[in-house]
Amino acid sequence: MSTFRAPKGTMDVLPPDSQRWRDAHRLFEDLAEQFGYGLALTPMFEDTDVFARGVGGDTEVVEKQMYTFTDKGGRSVTLRPEATASVVRAAIQAGGVQGRLKASYWGPMFRYERPQKGRYRQFYQGGIEYLGSDAPEADVEVIEFGYRYLERIGVPNVEIRLGSIGDAEDRARYREEIRAFLLDRFEQLSDDAQRRVDTNPMRVLDSKADAAVVADAPKPGDFLGAEASQHFGAVRAGLEILDLPYTIDSTIVRGLDYYNRTVWEYVPTTYDAAQSSVGGGGRYDGLFEILGGKPTPAVGLAMGVDRILLASGESRTGWALDAFVIVTGDERRADARRLVSDLRQRGLRIDMTDTGRSVKAQFKEADRRAAGNAIVVGDEWSDGLVSVKNLGTGDQTVITVKEIDGWLRA
Ligand code: HAM
């Protein structure tokens, strides 16, 4: 029988490598709570129309990348390719947003893409959505959140690429301009682009095959109306107050249709250019109405966890265990077990191995398990002492059992 493998474009993450994922998740949850975002849990699949309408029928995501199937009840459902449309659907279902609603989520998303490094068919996002505010301050807060997350996790040299694509009317004006520009160069366009000249000409800006043709096309940022322009100015001023570095990118096009006004991406300048963005977001004031709700301004982002972990290097972000307890003789196993139980009850992350391993083998296991320290229960135990070794620095000392807690938390 042939052996099974994870489906193409998906992957398994097992201990100890998965510790980085747990740390990344924990950091995300902590930061979301610090910024005042409550948890939103929504299904991993939705009625296909939530995404077809929400994300936009003419986007790559909806046209080519959705995992859509008919369930046993004959309904068309789709594994979520992103969660903004889901969160908005949930908010509408709950009766709409009174005042403000700040929500965060974390979990797998599904897009049928051609897999390569940093691009998968099941990938992980952590996202926040700030619903009910049209204030530039809300945009600034969300942009700051993504930047701080990358900072904490240790992704170096992140650039915030920022743009504004204006309001619906501005986009309509721009659409005519870009359409005219493309029609003048129709013969040079790819088949996909030719098809989109009438349906969604702005998408062509996003097309790699047409990059040369559109290099000097008019940009969305040049067509902002007075209000969008003022809003954008206030977002920029807000970023400057917080000393958040950004570069204006008037060519920025996001792959989803619901955006208006502010859009941005986080790009680590030292990371491989093909899959450069480790997160992105924008304002989406029209999405509630598209999904059948009352007009509700909103802004949000999603961070691409897979790419963030690639960009933060292969190093461990933290220890999986505070300490690994090492026993030098079977007669001390009962004492060691009691010590492990006691330290765990004090909230520390502690483990030991099962019977019959040499001290050397136990040290090896401590290392493999990403333990920060080794606590040796040996000859000194009868005097109430243990030998502890910091496995990062190599520092070693003999301390009393009572002192262990302090040593580990130092
Ligand atoms: P997005 O730009 O489509 O935005 O995705 C956000 C991030 O998810 C990307 O920057 C990238 O890091 C990661 N990502 C996307 N596709 C893949 C893939 N196939 N493999 C690995 N990583 C991937 C959204 O999804 C919006 N919902 C963000 C948002 C929230 N806008 C407003 N609120």
Side-chain angles (χ1 to χ4, degrees):
M1 199 176 86
S2 66
T3 50
F4 293 113
R5 304 193 54 84
K8 188 172 174 189
T10 73
M11 63 182 167
D12 308 309
V13 192
L14 297 172
D17 299 341
S18 52
Q19 185 59 31
R20 305 176 68 227
W21 288 78
R22 189 175 257 173
D23 289 342
H25 188 183
R26 207 171 265 151
L27 269 176
F28 184 86
E29 296 294 354
D30 287 350
L31 201 63
E33 280 196 276
Q34 283 172 11
F35 274 66
Y37 290 77
L39 178 65
L41 293 171
T42 63
M44 256 177 249
F45 60 91
E46 297 273 354
D47 277 350
T48 297
D49 274 348
V50 170
F51 303 115
R53 284 200 218 142
V55 172
D58 201 45
T59 59
E60 289 271 307
V61 170
V62 170
E63 259 188 355
K64 298 185 180 156
Q65 302 178 347
M66 296 221 294
Y67 277 94
T68 298
F69 59 98
T70 308
D71 73 6
K72 291 193 197 303
R75 306 169 194 89
S76 176
V77 294
T78 294
L79 298 182
R80 61 180 186 192
E82 62 107 48
T84 307
S86 304
V87 170
V88 168
R89 193 271 309 139
I92 295 170
Q93 185 176 332
V97 174
Q98 275 76 47
R100 314 275 175 267
L101 181 68
K102 293 169 65 170
S104 75
Y105 51 86
W106 173 282
M109 308 291 156
F110 306 87
R111 295 183 194 177
Y112 192 83
E113 299 208 64
R114 200 166 44 77
Q116 61 183 68
K117 189 176 169 206
R119 195 208 279 160
Y120 311 103
R121 290 180 176 174
Q122 175 172 332
F123 59 98
Y124 291 78
Q125 281 186 351
I128 61 171
E129 311 292 349
Y130 192 148
L131 310 178
S133 174
D134 61 5
E137 274 173 56
D139 307 48
V140 173
E141 177 180 292
V142 176
I143 296 170
E144 181 188 13
F145 177 93
Y147 190 77
R148 299 292 175 225
Y149 183 60
L150 294 167
E151 220 171 43
R152 282 210 195 169
I153 225 166
V155 178
N157 306 317
V158 174
E159 204 169 83
I160 302 171
R161 298 215 179 133
L162 181 72
S164 174
I165 56 171
D167 286 314
E169 316 80 71
D170 308 332
R171 293 182 77 183
R173 273 195 304 137
Y174 174 67
R175 202 184 131 100
E176 287 318 306
E177 288 291 322
I178 182 86
R179 189 168 162 266
F181 177 92
L182 295 173
L183 280 174
D184 282 347
R185 294 154 183 82
F186 194 78
E187 295 307 324
Q188 300 163 44
L189 296 173
S190 68
D191 290 350
D192 263 357
Q194 290 189 348
R195 200 167 42 78
R196 286 193 167 141
V197 166
D198 285 317
T199 55
N200 195 345
M202 282 169 72
R203 281 265 73 79
V204 179
L205 289 180
D206 216 3
S207 151
K208 290 206 176 66
D210 300 284
V213 187
V214 296
D216 44 32
K219 306 291 184 277
D222 303 331
F223 290 81
L224 302 190
E227 284 180 38
S229 184
Q230 199 186 11
H231 192 272
F232 192 44
V235 171
R236 292 169 58 174
L239 293 173
E240 279 151 27
I241 288 170
L242 299 178
D243 281 330
L244 292 166
Y246 64 87
T247 52
I248 296 293
D249 185 347
S250 59
T251 67
I252 197 161
V253 226
R254 308 264 303 121
L256 314 160
D257 262 0
Y258 46 63
Y259 291 115
N260 69 316
R261 296 194 175 180
T262 323
V263 288
W264 71 92
E265 287 182 344
Y266 303 93
V267 181
T269 48
T270 45
Y271 180 52
D272 133 28
Q275 297 300 329
S276 53
S277 127
V278 294
R283 181 161 275 290
Y284 51 93
D285 297 332
L287 184 54
F288 273 76
E289 283 164 280
I290 292 172
L291 293 178
K294 289 202 224 42
T296 308
V299 57
L301 62 67
M303 307 304 290
V305 186
D306 307 75
R307 289 185 195 170
I308 289 172
L309 290 179
L310 283 171
S312 67
E314 297 305 318
S315 68
R316 279 177 189 146
T317 47
W319 302 111
L321 292 169
D322 294 308
F324 200 78
V325 172
I326 287 168
V327 200
T328 58
D330 273 352
E331 70 280 9
R332 298 195 185 98
R333 288 200 68 80
D335 293 327
R337 272 289 162 204
R338 259 197 302 275
L339 177 65
V340 166
S341 170
D342 178 44
L343 293 174
R344 282 174 175 165
Q345 287 175 70
R346 290 194 226 165
L348 290 159
R349 302 170 302 165
I350 307 290
D351 209 355
M352 66 185 279
T353 193
D354 57 357
T355 56
R357 306 274 176 114
S358 69
V359 170
K360 194 172 158 208
Q362 293 180 67
F363 266 103
K364 267 199 183 147
E365 184 165 348
D367 192 48
R368 216 165 16 85
R369 298 286 303 282
N373 296 272
I375 300 175
V376 183
V377 176
D379 293 339
E380 314 89 342
W381 181 259
S382 46
D383 302 324
L385 299 170
V386 290
S387 155
V388 290
K389 181 175 180 185
N390 180 315
L391 296 175
T393 61
D395 290 351
Q396 205 166 346
T397 185
V398 175
I399 57 176
T400 65
V401 171
K402 279 212 175 94
E403 288 168 329
I404 295 177
D405 205 317
W407 168 277
L408 294 183
R409 291 183 203 273

